[in-house]
Amino acid sequence: MTNVSALAVLEIGPDGGLDSSAAGLIGAAALLGDPLALVVTAPGAGERPAAEAAQLGATSVFLVESLRVEAELSVPVTDSIEAAAEKINPTAILLAHTTDGRDVAARYAARKNLTVATDAVGVEIDDQGVVAHHSVFGGSYSGMSAATFGPLVVTLRQGTIDYSPPSQVLSLEKLSIPEVGVPAATIDSRQVVASVSERPQLQVAERVVAGGRGLGDAEKFGLVEELADALGAALGASRAAVDSGYVPYSHQVGQTGASVSPQLYLAVGISGAIQHLAGMQTAKTIVAINKDPEAPIFDIADFGVVGDLFTVVPQLISELESRKQ
Amino acid sequence: MKEVPDTYGEKKVSLETGLVERQATEPVVDEITERAVELAVSHAESADEDVEVIVMSMAPSSAVDSIRKGLAMGADRAVQICDESLRGADLGQTSEALAAALKLTGFDLIIAGNVSTDGASGMLPSMLAEHLQIPAATGLSEVTITHGKVAGTRVTEESSAQVSAQLPAIVSITEALPDPRFPSFKGIMGAKKKKHETYSLEDLSIASNNFTVPRSIMVTIAERPPREAGVKVVDEGDAAVQLADFLTSNALA
């Protein structure tokens, strides 16, 4: 195929720069063809993210600056993709598999009658077109999907593409969208959920330490956080721990939370219900600490410790700390 | 409402068709959609106007019991989209069929789950919004329904927003919403007498084999070999040291 272009639709992070998903999206676009980027933001806020997109390898950056972005959910970005796609006719449109990315992908696919591949963990192109890789049911199956014809809209799981194309000199094209779009929900106010922790982000972390109901309460969950810090790991949790209020939902790993594939997943006081395993069983190495020798997590753990976590974890932390010196 | 393979069971995909094997585990109502029914029914109970609650599901004919659960929880009637040619339908076909059925029944507010436990795409609510040209307030962890308006809290990976929409609109809800009620004995008995309509694609004026619209196809599917258990040590005072050794020797600490 010649003249293949892929449009990466980038999200803006809390600090006004590009969200951490941007590098993977541009990398995936470059694997398919000419990587183009779309940045949609408030008037006057586009300079920094556009420059970052070029640095990440986008050969052209389309910028839409509109007041609608801060007032309406999903529709302004959908309209922006439509404006960009009219110019470049992309073979693939790539978005992050986030709450916002899914909404926009869904709206655009429905509007244009396009096929959508969700939660892709990789992309490739052959003479038949774009193929998306999927990891189904928590990695129990791996598959590939494609459209029968036409461009493919893809939402990409974060942290799955590690290809980085060379940086580009910024080639910027400003686009505009209509002042009024289809009916959208109104954003009445928005608060950035301040990231108070210095820990790595769960979805992309090399190491994850996660706690479950075995911790007993929110205060004792601090032990899991200490271990995470000793290992420089992100903090995860089972649904039981989240439902019990030990930690916010953003830490939930599993079928209804985040899917992670770190180098190390260390589960503390997590029994390993199937819906939890669905979010972490593709981790390279799994370690479990649990007092119940029959806990299903041990069936998939590379290293399991049957013991009292309140004894083992503090010992492990001090052992790790002493080895650092 | 959506019927899915048991959330707590092991799910299977047919290696021949790439479709979910729905017989592999006991089908259940996806819990998130039970929460959606709960929100609708509890609103109908507390509203100062007459509210009709309809449960809608695109599902094979075998899903009657799952849909009846929504009626037993207190919904007034059920609409089921059921057509053999919808087997293995992709998101585009599914949203097209549901949108057509929604146009037929009419609605003020559509309440959906944010993400199902099987397909897990989280895309249908926004697709329906686009087909129906209505606002979508997705991923709400709190919902307030007032006359002519719906509002709520939308928590995403990076922000928390207060959002609202004039009706007609669609919302999708998260697990943070209240647990669904257990149907009462009276509710279960009453459910069998409630109206349960079935629509085929023909009823919805949709062509069953429209090759002018692109569809999603599974090109390959393979089962990953199961993980095997590794070392398991029982703590006798030195397990932490052994674990630290394991992490260090694998360059994980």
Side-chain angles (χ1 to χ4, degrees):
Chain A
M1 280 180 138
T2 52
N3 294 327
V4 171
S5 67
L7 181 66
V9 183
L10 309 179
E11 290 184 15
I12 305 292
D15 62 351
L18 287 179
D19 181 71
S20 59
S21 56
L25 289 168
I26 295 171
L31 290 172
L32 297 175
D34 190 16
L36 312 174
L38 172 65
V39 172
V40 185
T41 185
E47 198 175 317
R48 179 179 157 196
E52 288 174 355
Q55 204 160 32
L56 290 171
T59 53
S60 291
V61 180
F62 296 97
L63 174 64
V64 175
E65 293 185 328
S66 165
L67 282 170
R68 285 175 54 199
V69 174
E70 290 180 330
E72 298 171 33
L73 271 185
S74 307
V75 177
V77 182
T78 312
D79 293 351
S80 303
I81 300 175
E82 197 172 7
E86 269 171 27
K87 296 227 157 209
I88 55 171
N89 200 16
T91 308
I93 295 135
L94 306 164
L95 302 99
H97 191 71
T98 56
T99 308
D100 286 329
R102 288 196 297 253
D103 280 357
V104 171
R107 272 201 181 264
Y108 186 71
R111 185 178 293 183
K112 294 291 175 187
N113 265 329
L114 297 179
T115 302
V116 53
T118 71
D119 199 17
V121 296
V123 287
E124 63 179 272
I125 190 161
D126 60 22
D127 53 5
Q128 306 274 309
V130 178
V131 177
H133 297 222
H134 301 273
S135 175
V136 188
F137 291 153
S140 303
Y141 296 86
S142 56
M144 292 196 248
S145 79
T148 47
F149 60 92
L152 187 66
V153 180
V154 181
T155 61
L156 201 65
R157 187 184 298 180
Q158 219 177 325
T160 52
I161 305 282
D162 50 16
Y163 174 63
S164 309
S167 291
Q168 302 289 327
V169 177
L170 177 62
S171 155
L172 185 71
E173 183 171 348
K174 290 197 176 187
L175 300 174
S176 59
I177 56 173
E179 279 176 30
V180 181
V182 299
T186 309
I187 304 168
D188 300 318
S189 67
R190 190 201 290 267
Q191 270 183 314
V192 171
V193 181
S195 173
V196 284
S197 112
E198 294 292 307
R199 292 190 193 104
Q201 200 194 333
L202 180 60
Q203 283 83 353
V204 294
E206 292 260 306
R207 298 169 192 166
V208 174
V209 173
R213 208 202 306 263
L215 272 300
D217 62 43
E219 197 180 316
K220 291 185 194 131
F221 201 88
L223 194 55
V224 180
E225 301 181 36
E226 275 180 56
L227 180 56
D229 292 340
L231 284 163
L235 186 67
S238 68
R239 180 176 170 184
V242 171
D243 282 353
S244 305
Y246 304 171
V247 277
Y249 170 72
S250 57
H251 295 286
Q252 186 169 318
V253 173
Q255 194 165 261
T256 53
S259 293
V260 298
S261 298
Q263 293 296 310
L264 171 67
Y265 190 90
L266 201 161
V268 179
I270 291 177
S271 62
I274 277 182
Q275 72 272 26
H276 184 74
L277 303 187
M280 44 65 74
Q281 64 184 356
T282 54
K284 181 104 189 304
T285 301
I286 296 173
V287 173
I289 303 171
N290 202 300
K291 67 173 190 288
D292 174 10
E294 303 300 322
I297 190 89
F298 287 125
D299 296 339
I300 63 160
D302 299 285
F303 194 100
V305 174
V306 181
D308 181 1
L309 69 92
F310 295 108
T311 309
V312 177
V313 175
Q315 285 175 356
L316 178 61
I317 293 169
S318 65
E319 188 65 29
L320 291 169
E321 295 297 344
S322 72
R323 290 180 192 205
K324 276 185 196 164
Q325 286 150 19
Chain B
M1 285 181 79
K2 185 173 187 186
E3 186 180 76
V4 295
D6 186 358
T7 318
Y8 299 95
E10 197 176 336
K11 299 189 197 53
K12 294 271 182 206
V13 176
S14 162
L15 298 180
E16 276 174 30
T17 62
L19 300 178
V20 174
E21 283 190 358
R22 297 194 181 270
Q23 293 79 22
T25 58
E26 193 72 13
V28 297
V29 181
D30 204 347
E31 190 205 54
I32 194 71
T33 67
E34 285 185 40
R35 284 178 206 264
V37 175
E38 175 62 40
L39 174 62
V41 171
S42 58
H43 171 67
E45 287 167 347
S46 62
D48 53 13
E49 55 193 336
D50 259 357
V51 177
E52 184 188 32
V53 177
I54 305 173
V55 290
M56 183 178 286
S57 185
M58 183 179 121
S61 52
S62 58
V64 168
D65 287 345
S66 289
I67 294 164
R68 195 170 281 155
K69 188 169 182 189
L71 295 174
M73 285 175 68
D76 298 294
R77 62 188 176 99
V79 172
Q80 182 176 357
I81 304 157
C82 182
D83 196 304
E84 187 56 28
S85 59
L86 284 170
R87 179 187 294 269
D90 70 358
L91 284 162
Q93 281 170 297
T94 306
S95 64
E96 189 189 11
L98 282 167
L102 286 160
K103 278 183 194 162
L104 271 187
T105 56
F107 61 87
D108 297 298
L109 176 63
I110 305 165
I111 304 172
N114 62 335
V115 177
S116 69
T117 54
D118 58 348
S121 76
M123 291 201 181
L124 264 180
S126 287
M127 291 184 130
L128 291 176
E130 192 68 27
H131 284 307
L132 298 165
Q133 299 282 289
I134 54 171
T138 52
L140 301 187
S141 57
E142 260 177 325
V143 184
T144 313
I145 306 164
T146 49
H147 195 74
K149 194 177 171 186
V150 61
T153 307
R154 181 175 187 263
V155 179
T156 64
E157 289 77 1
E158 273 159 358
S159 72
S160 169
Q162 293 302 313
V163 299
S164 60
Q166 300 294 323
L167 304 185
I170 183 166
V171 297
S172 73
I173 57 158
T174 72
E175 284 175 351
L177 263 88
D179 285 338
R181 68 190 65 192
F182 289 105
S184 65
F185 181 70
K186 195 169 150 233
I188 293 167
M189 296 314 287
K192 292 175 183 164
K193 299 191 192 88
K194 287 178 178 171
K195 193 172 163 193
H196 184 138
E197 281 174 281
T198 305
Y199 292 160
S200 66
L201 283 185
E202 200 184 339
D203 296 332
L204 299 174
S205 309
I206 296 175
S208 58
N209 283 312
N210 180 0
F211 295 109
T212 64
V213 175
R215 295 299 178 205
S216 175
I217 45 169
M218 286 303 276
V219 184
T220 65
I221 184 87
E223 192 165 8
R224 189 177 294 231
R227 280 190 92 103
E228 284 177 17
V231 184
K232 184 156 89 175
V233 299
V234 177
D235 183 31
E236 285 167 352
D238 64 344
V241 175
Q242 289 187 49
L243 176 50
D245 288 343
F246 173 82
L247 294 174
T248 314
S249 63
N250 287 286
L252 294 168

